[in-house]
Amino acid sequence: MSVNFKHIGRRVKEIRHAKGLSQAELAEQIDMSVPYISLIETAAKKASLSTLILIANALGVTVDALLSGNQTNDAAEYYCDLVCLINDCNNYERRIIFEVASVTKKSLRDNSRLHPYFGET
C-alpha cells in the first residue's frame, strides 16, 4: 500500500482553511516557506513524518487527522471531512445535511440485503 500524499495535502489545506489560516501563517508557525506549504498541499512534495507532526501541531489536530483515509478499514476515515463540512455550515444547512444523512442511513440499512457486502460494518 502506498501513502496517498494528494489526500494528505488536501487534508492539510481543508483543515488550514477551516482554522482560518493562510499558507503564510502556517509556514511561519512551522518555520518553513510558503512555497513548501503549497508543494505539500498539491502533493508535489512528500512531507516527512516530522513535517507532518509540525503541521498537525500548528493546526491543532492529530497526525491521524492528516493521514485519515490512507488506511484500509479506517472507521474514522471521513470523520474530519464531516467535521470540516459541518463547521462550514449555518444552522439551517446543518439541519438539512443531518436530515438527508439520517434518511440516507435508514435507506441503506433497510436495503442492506441488496448490498454485496451485507454484514460489513
Side-chain angles (χ1 to χ4, degrees), residues 22-76:
S22 67
Q23 286 182 339
E25 291 168 322
L26 178 58
E28 184 178 328
Q29 287 184 29
I30 65 170
D31 196 29
M32 298 205 173
S33 70
V34 175
Y36 188 68
I37 298 298
S38 178
L39 291 171
I40 290 171
E41 289 184 354
T42 59
K45 286 280 186 188
K46 297 177 179 178
S48 68
L49 180 57
S50 56
T51 299
L52 288 176
I53 292 169
L54 288 171
I55 291 171
N57 286 337
L59 294 175
V61 298
T62 64
V63 175
D64 288 348
L66 300 180
L67 297 176
S68 178
N70 270 289
Q71 229 176 324
T72 56
N73 300 319
D74 183 356

Side-chain angles (χ1 to χ4, degrees), residues 54-114:
L54 288 171
I55 291 171
N57 286 337
L59 294 175
V61 298
T62 64
V63 175
D64 288 348
L66 300 180
L67 297 176
S68 178
N70 270 289
Q71 229 176 324
T72 56
N73 300 319
D74 183 356
E77 180 175 357
Y78 297 104
Y79 181 77
C80 290
D81 295 325
L82 289 171
V83 169
C84 288
L85 175 76
I86 294 299
N87 284 342
D88 188 44
C89 294
N90 62 37
N91 285 338
Y92 173 75
E93 293 167 335
R94 285 183 184 129
R95 184 67 196 169
I96 297 299
I97 290 170
F98 172 77
E99 289 178 11
V100 169
S102 294
V103 169
T104 302
K105 178 183 173 186
K106 181 180 180 335
S107 178
L108 289 168
R109 296 253 171 112
D110 290 348
N111 296 292
S112 62
R113 70 188 180 290
L114 303 174

